[in-house]
Amino acid sequence: MTTPDKVNLAEKLRRFDQLWAPRIVGQLNGQHVKLVKLKGDFVWHQHETEDEFFLVLQGELTIHFRGGDVHLGEGEFTIVPAGVEHRPTAEHEAHVLLFEPLSTLNTGNVRNERTIPEPDWI
């Protein structure tokens, strides 16, 4: 067996500036580990068969749901269950770690200019 590489999240985040464009930094058990920088409002969407894990590394993130909002600060996370409509929002730039099944499309059931069918690995 070879020794696994370590991943430095801060170094990976320095490699890109584009907002709302997730980058893949790892893979395990059919899941991608992604980093994304967010600012402003995303699109309302849902993922029919996939849960999403959002962990705020820097800044603050609000995830809006039709029944209320979840506000996350640094070091906090939430899991959006499959089939639940939601819209992430960050007033100021936030850095977020995501765990998502390999099949997860960032805009879920919506296709628009923010849809990234194949995120880059960094």
Side-chain angles (χ1 to χ4, degrees):
M1 177 184 139
T2 60
T3 303
D5 293 330
K6 69 178 180 179
V7 175
N8 183 303
L9 298 178
E11 186 275 324
K12 295 288 189 184
L13 283 160
R14 284 192 293 271
R15 290 189 185 190
F16 69 98
D17 293 318
Q18 187 179 7
L19 300 173
W20 300 106
R23 301 301 200 277
I24 301 168
V25 296
Q27 183 174 320
L28 73 156
N29 300 321
Q31 301 268 322
H32 276 146
V33 180
K34 298 177 182 175
L35 291 174
V36 64
K37 294 180 178 182
L38 314 174
K39 184 178 179 185
D41 296 327
F42 202 52
V43 61
W44 281 100
H45 68 285
Q46 63 188 17
H47 304 275
E48 288 301 324
T49 60
E50 302 138 333
D51 298 331
E52 284 187 290
F53 173 93
F54 291 81
L55 169 64
V56 176
L57 302 173
Q58 178 182 317
E60 297 179 351
L61 174 67
T62 299
I63 301 182
H64 302 282
F65 298 93
R66 295 298 183 187
D69 301 335
V70 173
H71 304 285
L72 301 171
E74 293 179 11
E76 296 180 322
F77 75 85
T78 194
I79 298 170
V80 178
V84 174
E85 192 175 26
H86 60 286
R87 182 186 70 169
T89 299
E91 185 175 336
H92 304 285
E93 186 172 310
H95 299 173
V96 177
L97 178 82
L98 307 168
F99 280 99
E100 302 174 323
L102 301 178
S103 61
T104 303
L105 186 63
N106 67 319
T107 54
N109 63 324
V110 174
R111 303 296 185 272
N112 65 17
E113 68 281 353
R114 287 192 170 164
T115 301
I116 301 176
E118 296 182 26
D120 292 334
W121 276 82
I122 58 169

